[in-house]
Amino acid sequence: MGVGPSCAAVCCTACACEACRNVVGSINRSTARLAYVVLFALSLLLSWLVRDYAQPLLTFAETLDPMHVIHVPDSAWFQEQAVLRVSLGTSLFFVLLALLLLNVQLQSDYRDAWHHGGWWLKLVAWLLLLVVAFLVPDSVVSAYGYVCRGGSFVFLFVQAMILLDFVFAWNDDWASRDEHRWYMAMLVVSIGAYVVCVALLIVLAVWFVPNSDTCQTNQLILFFSTLLIVALTAVSLHNKVNGSLLPASIVSIYCTYVAATALCSEPRDYECNGLAPHLNSLSSMRLALSMLGALLSVAYSAVRAGSSTALLSPPEEDDLEHPLLPTTADADASKPPTSAAATPSEPEPAEHVAYSYSFFHLIFALAAAYSAMLLTGWGVGSSAQAAGGGEAEYLIDVGWGSVSVKLLQQWGTGLLYVWALVAPLLFPDRDFS
């Protein structure tokens, strides 16, 4: 009677292992970045699982520590420790890769294969680092928590740089076409962005300022958000600044969005959080969407920043003079006027890598630190206490710590935009192109 189910289980296990082997074996140069995103997604999912469901295992591990034999910490301490330990293991994994791939510039470098291949070894190394992270002393993990806060601010700074690079490139592309229809398109997009900003501010005022006497904090958030939008627009339109309305409008709508997420991150028991009654009725679908949103946001920022050759990792000066992949015309022009028999014997020039591998992995290490802060409410109390509800184990990025960081992110992005406009005036001798 038990032979059939046992055989079926063995067959299913064998099929699953074969499928995993085929998937890992199919990772190549064009799919390596996607594979790193999948690995990062697994780390984020594991962080959430151990935060909410692995307390018995962590309790057993901590009872091995003489400091916790008499007094076992509460569940909030275990939640934060679990997330930080998974983040520590993941960050170490990407930092080690960044160090191993430092200064890889040509695809002919033997270390180029380390970035795209060896995935079974990478998976084993990642799992071993996770095990090590759960065995290190509590003091190391607490110190890593402070590192996570600093690394998260760096990650948010990189996100702001990505946004500014995008909006300036967008504006330059449309303006360089020097046609009336493109100028009209810039105007229409700018006006539409400001309309969305105003509409969103009104909706936020209705939801998060139900009582003007007791909700002064939310009033100040909305007031300063409006003031920031006006300031960005005024600086962009100043006659001494080489600004444009399109970048200002896009940055304004982004800052308004960040303000909205800050208000949504307020504790669920805060009386001015008008969305709390709706957000507290959590479902499996809403939880899945929350996890997916956090994953997509962090993963996109990591891949976008890590794959950039211009952001914080500029190519060498010699690389700027030649494209990464030479065109056919360049290849033909480079051929010497020799006989056809001598041409095949000439070695082909080595191709440059498309992006900095070290910077790519460093950004993912910062993303792992940032994800830990999202899951722990930036370490300001436990996620349960910050959320203020019995369903706190299902919440991500909730608490006054998250609100404060997002407001800093909002104003930091605005100040970076203003700096990008006024820096050429303050330092006319420097090239900011």
Side-chain angles (χ1 to χ4, degrees):
M1 293 294 293
V3 176
S6 299
C7 292
V10 171
C11 291
C12 291
T13 303
C15 291
C17 293
E18 181 66 18
C20 292
R21 188 183 68 83
N22 292 334
V23 170
V24 173
S26 64
I27 299 175
N28 51 34
R29 182 179 298 276
S30 60
T31 58
R33 280 179 287 187
L34 178 60
Y36 285 113
V37 171
V38 173
L39 190 146
F40 177 77
L42 291 176
S43 70
L44 184 60
L45 179 62
L46 180 62
S47 297
W48 169 64
L49 290 176
V50 298
R51 185 192 71 168
D52 298 335
Y53 302 109
Q55 182 176 341
L57 176 62
L58 291 172
T59 303
F60 172 76
E62 289 302 324
T63 55
L64 301 179
D65 187 349
M67 297 298 296
H68 299 298
V69 171
I70 300 177
H71 174 69
V72 178
D74 57 9
S75 60
W77 185 88
F78 284 111
Q79 288 179 340
E80 184 172 341
Q81 284 282 313
V83 173
L84 289 177
R85 290 174 187 270
V86 174
S87 174
L88 175 60
T90 305
S91 295
L92 287 176
F93 171 78
F94 284 112
V95 167
L96 289 176
L97 284 177
L99 294 175
L100 290 174
L101 300 174
L102 190 64
N103 201 31
V104 175
Q105 299 181 0
L106 300 176
Q107 294 183 11
S108 59
D109 193 320
Y110 68 93
R111 293 178 297 166
D112 180 81
W114 297 358
H115 177 68
H116 303 101
W119 280 95
W120 281 115
L121 181 61
K122 290 177 183 177
L123 289 175
V124 172
W126 176 56
L127 294 175
L128 288 177
L129 288 173
L130 290 179
V131 173
V132 171
F134 275 86
L135 297 177
V136 298
D138 300 338
S139 57
V140 175
V141 179
S142 299
Y144 174 71
Y146 292 100
V147 175
C148 280
R149 292 179 180 88
S152 299
F153 279 108
V154 175
F155 184 77
L156 292 176
F157 172 79
V158 172
Q159 279 189 320
M161 294 292 291
I162 294 173
L163 173 68
L164 296 183
D165 179 68
F166 168 75
V167 297
F168 283 126
W170 181 7
N171 181 78
D172 293 341
D173 179 58
W174 283 16
S176 63
R177 304 186 186 190
D178 198 18
E179 296 181 11
H180 177 72
R181 58 173 181 171
W182 291 109
Y183 289 123
M184 290 300 299
M186 293 171 65
L187 180 61
V188 170
V189 172
S190 301
I191 294 176
Y194 281 116
V195 170
V196 172
C197 286
V198 174
L200 184 55
L201 288 173
I202 293 175
V203 172
L204 293 176
V206 173
W207 283 349
F208 294 96
V209 191
N211 189 332
S212 58
D213 295 331
T214 59
C215 300
Q216 296 179 355
T217 300
N218 290 354
Q219 283 182 310
L220 289 175
I221 292 175
L222 295 177
F223 171 76
F224 283 109
S225 297
T226 305
L227 184 63
L228 178 61
I229 295 173
V230 174
L232 295 178
T233 306
V235 173
S236 299
L237 297 180
H238 197 278
N239 56 3
K240 292 185 178 181
V241 173
N242 186 22
S244 176
L245 202 59
L246 178 61
S249 63
I250 301 301
V251 174
S252 296
I253 198 172
Y254 174 78
C255 291
T256 307
Y257 162 76
V258 175
T261 59
L263 293 173
C264 292
S265 295
E266 291 179 339
R268 297 296 182 253
D269 59 350
Y270 183 46
E271 60 180 348
C272 297
N273 189 344
L275 290 181
H278 307 285
L279 296 176
N280 278 334
S281 56
L282 295 168
S283 62
S284 299
M285 178 61 67
R286 187 171 299 172
L287 172 62
L289 291 176
S290 178
M291 288 291 299
L292 181 62
L295 169 63
L296 292 178
S297 175
V298 176
Y300 172 78
S301 299
V303 173
R304 179 73 173 83
S307 302
S308 173
T309 58
L311 179 64
L312 301 182
S313 58
E316 299 295 332
E317 184 176 355
D318 294 336
D319 299 341
L320 297 175
E321 299 176 359
H322 307 284
L324 295 178
L325 297 176
T327 61
T328 304
D330 295 335
D332 294 337
S334 63
K335 293 180 180 179
T338 58
S339 61
T343 301
S345 62
E346 296 179 359
E348 296 183 358
E351 295 181 354
H352 289 81
V353 297
Y355 55 92
S356 171
Y357 297 157
S358 292
F359 186 61
F360 177 85
H361 292 295
L362 179 60
I363 290 297
F364 265 100
L366 296 175
Y370 176 68
S371 301
M373 292 295 97
L374 292 183
L375 288 168
T376 60
W378 290 85
V380 182
S382 68
S383 59
Q385 294 170 347
E391 297 172 322
E393 63 271 14
Y394 299 106
L395 302 178
I396 297 175
D397 197 19
V398 174
W400 288 116
S402 297
V403 174
S404 302
V405 171
K406 289 180 178 180
L407 294 179
L408 290 175
Q409 178 186 3
Q410 177 196 41
W411 279 88
T413 303
L415 292 176
L416 279 176
Y417 174 74
V418 172
W419 170 254
L421 295 179
V422 303
L425 298 178
L426 299 178
F427 304 95
D429 298 333
R430 296 189 60 182
D431 183 15
F432 290 92
S433 59

